[in-house]
Amino acid sequence: MIKKTTQSKGNYLYQLTIIGVLFAVFGFVTWVNGILIPFLKKSCELTDQQAFYVTTAFFAAYFFLSIPSSWILSKLGTKKGMTVGLTIMAIGCLVFVSAASDRSYGIFLTGLFIVGMGLALLQTAANPYVSLLGNIESAATRISIMGICNKLAGIFANVLLGSILLKNASEIQNKLDVVTDESVKNQLLNELASRVEVPYIIMAVFLLIIAFVIYKSSLPDIKEQASADSSGVTYLSKGKTSVLQFPHVILGAIAIFFYVGAEVMAGDLITIYGKNLGFSEDTSKFFAVFGLTGLLVGYVVNIILIPKYMKQENWLTISTILGITLTIGSYFTSGSIAVGCLASLGFANAVMWPAIFPLGIRDIGQFSNIGSALLIMGIVGGAIIPPFYGWLYENSILGFDFKSAFVFVMLICYVYILWFGKQGHKIGFPTKV
């Protein structure tokens, strides 16, 4: 356990800064997918549905690594676990160099999965620090600060990598449209693919430097804490032998599944959505920044509203209804207004993880660790929902085009989250809690 009472203020700020840097890394690596999707679609000559497998490879790692990560951290300790996670991410970045030289989409996806593996381990290790570094009463403020670090890094990633990877994208596309010589076409595509090499080598070096700093740092290991008495038993967990006996945990994992799917749909896919609306790639490559800005504003509003002025479940309900309204608005509008609706979904989504996660593991006592792992597995929604969306409209299933398919998929996500926020999280609890 972290001994907060013996920490000096300087040591506390040092440790919190390290965790803040980690959350910035999470944001940079995760939100750069919004640029990789159109970049790989062009350089590897993919359909929209195939390009959306970027999210599949990345987020699938959370599903497979969330529970094993807990075991790895129990064996290595938190600090060494973070070091290993960063090293794994660096290896995944270096795989991109090999993928670029061969222009192999399969190797690109392998690199993304490896990066996701390291990130899953890091997320499992770093998140508890946010609550335990300092007084528990101020944990919500620290969580929001970490969220802001995450989204600022995501905005920076989209601006920086968008400027490098998709520079003069429209001009390149025009050349590809008219070229008839296959060797000239391959040369253009190879030059485009090679743009990823230097940025990802730099990312790998940076990740290794952070790994070394953390390994040498004074970050303490976190021991498992009981959430109630010394045995970790709560009134709700008495007599229970499995986390599967808590309906709200399973329902919460499903809510995370739909939330992450909706966030990826609104964030990572907005660039291709904008292109389908008729915007040039040189313009649409920055659309993801607007969505991230909405998320950033949403985090600030969360800090102001919760819990002083509003309960988290009530704000979740309002935000979900806003998400439904904006989704429908994106269908009935076009051009900049439609893009604005998608970008504004970032604001609506900002409260969903902070609200769903605690509601999903509420009062499960000694099952808190495995319950948290199950909820983290729900992140796999980001791997499944975007390709499903691409499949719907590219194959004209039930007559869907890219706009109507977007509304259909997003409404499924939001309607379930709305139900969970109103009723689902209460299932299994006595009438009066």
Side-chain angles (χ1 to χ4, degrees):
M1 182 188 300
I2 296 176
K3 297 180 179 180
K4 297 181 280 292
T5 57
T6 60
Q7 287 191 103
S8 67
K9 184 176 180 180
N11 196 41
Y12 164 76
L13 292 175
Y14 169 69
Q15 293 172 358
L16 195 62
T17 299
I18 290 179
I19 302 303
V21 170
L22 282 180
F23 271 81
V25 169
F26 301 162
F28 191 99
V29 174
T30 300
W31 290 102
V32 77
N33 289 340
I35 294 299
L36 285 178
I37 290 171
F39 170 75
L40 292 176
K41 179 189 176 185
K42 186 180 301 294
S43 60
C44 295
E45 299 181 284
L46 309 171
T47 65
D48 282 358
Q49 182 185 353
Q50 290 171 331
F52 295 159
Y53 290 141
V54 164
T55 65
T56 301
F58 186 83
F59 288 106
Y62 282 92
F63 181 81
F64 293 107
L65 265 294
S66 58
I67 292 178
S69 289
S70 298
W71 179 83
I72 292 170
L73 292 171
S74 68
K75 296 296 182 182
L76 295 180
T78 313
K79 188 167 70 172
K80 288 182 179 178
M82 289 179 180
T83 303
V84 171
L86 286 162
T87 303
I88 291 172
M89 291 174 67
I91 293 170
C93 289
L94 292 176
V95 169
F96 267 61
V97 179
S98 173
S101 63
D102 295 332
R103 202 155 49 83
S104 168
Y105 188 47
I107 299 178
F108 273 121
L109 294 181
T110 300
L112 280 165
F113 185 79
I114 294 172
V115 170
M117 287 173 60
L119 197 54
L121 181 57
L122 265 183
Q123 289 269 26
T124 305
N127 278 290
Y129 270 95
V130 185
S131 296
L132 296 177
L133 280 176
N135 295 324
I136 194 66
E137 291 80 8
S138 60
T141 300
R142 292 192 296 277
I143 291 171
S144 298
I145 291 171
M146 294 303 116
I148 291 171
C149 290
N150 183 281
K151 298 307 176 287
L152 284 175
I155 292 172
F156 178 67
N158 273 268
V159 172
L160 179 63
L161 272 297
S163 299
I164 296 172
L165 302 185
L166 296 177
K167 182 180 180 181
N168 299 326
S170 297
E171 179 184 335
I172 294 172
Q173 187 61 57
N174 291 335
K175 290 181 179 179
L176 291 171
D177 290 339
V178 299
V179 69
T180 55
D181 189 321
E182 194 66 25
S183 62
V184 174
K185 179 181 180 181
N186 285 329
Q187 182 180 354
L188 285 171
L189 292 173
N190 288 336
E191 289 175 356
L192 179 63
S194 67
R195 292 182 180 183
V196 82
E197 294 178 355
V198 173
Y200 271 79
I201 289 174
I202 293 173
M203 284 172 61
V205 172
F206 182 68
L207 289 168
L208 290 174
I209 291 172
I210 297 175
F212 179 78
V213 170
I214 288 179
Y215 184 76
K216 293 293 186 180
S217 74
S218 61
L219 283 176
D221 278 335
I222 297 176
K223 304 296 183 182
E224 182 176 346
Q225 289 183 299
S227 62
D229 57 30
S230 59
S231 64
V233 178
T234 66
Y235 75 92
L236 193 67
S237 64
K238 286 181 179 177
K240 301 289 177 63
T241 58
S242 169
V243 72
L244 300 179
Q245 293 174 289
F246 300 91
H248 67 291
V249 176
I250 308 304
L251 297 173
I254 297 172
I256 292 290
F257 176 92
F258 283 122
Y259 151 68
V260 175
E263 183 173 80
V264 172
M265 287 278 291
D268 287 350
L269 273 57
I270 191 172
T271 301
I272 286 182
Y273 192 94
K275 186 173 182 292
N276 287 335
L277 284 172
F279 290 93
S280 70
E281 288 178 288
D282 290 328
T283 300
S284 62
K285 67 185 179 184
F286 294 120
F287 285 170
V289 173
F290 303 147
L292 284 166
T293 302
L295 276 165
L296 193 63
V297 173
Y299 274 116
V300 175
V301 173
N302 292 345
I303 295 172
I304 296 171
L305 288 183
I306 303 171
K308 185 176 181 180
Y309 299 105
M310 192 173 295
K311 291 182 178 180
Q312 58 189 9
E313 52 264 45
N314 293 340
W315 184 233
L316 174 62
T317 297
I318 293 171
S319 295
T320 307
I321 293 173
L322 175 61
I324 291 172
T325 303
L326 289 168
T327 298
I328 295 173
S330 72
Y331 179 77
F332 289 105
T333 58
S334 59
S336 299
I337 297 177
V339 171
C341 287
L342 261 67
S344 298
L345 286 173
F347 179 85
N349 291 336
V351 74
M352 293 187 182
W353 178 279
I356 293 171
F357 205 91
L359 291 174
I361 61 170
R362 184 167 61 123
D363 251 338
I364 62 175
Q366 71 269 32
F367 300 101
S368 293
N369 279 355
I370 186 65
S372 297
L374 285 177
L375 262 67
I376 290 174
M377 288 177 71
I379 292 175
V380 76
I384 296 173
I385 291 175
F388 173 67
Y389 160 66
W391 174 77
L392 278 179
Y393 79 77
E394 286 199 330
N395 294 281
S396 299
I397 304 299
L398 301 177
F400 283 124
D401 62 7
F402 77 96
K403 291 184 75 173
S404 56
F406 182 86
V407 173
F408 175 73
V409 172
M410 293 293 278
L411 287 183
I412 291 175
C413 295
Y414 283 138
V415 167
Y416 180 87
I417 294 169
L418 180 63
W419 172 81
F420 177 78
K422 293 290 289 182
Q423 297 294 332
H425 74 277
K426 301 176 184 177
I427 294 178
F429 282 81
T431 304
K432 291 184 178 180
V433 176

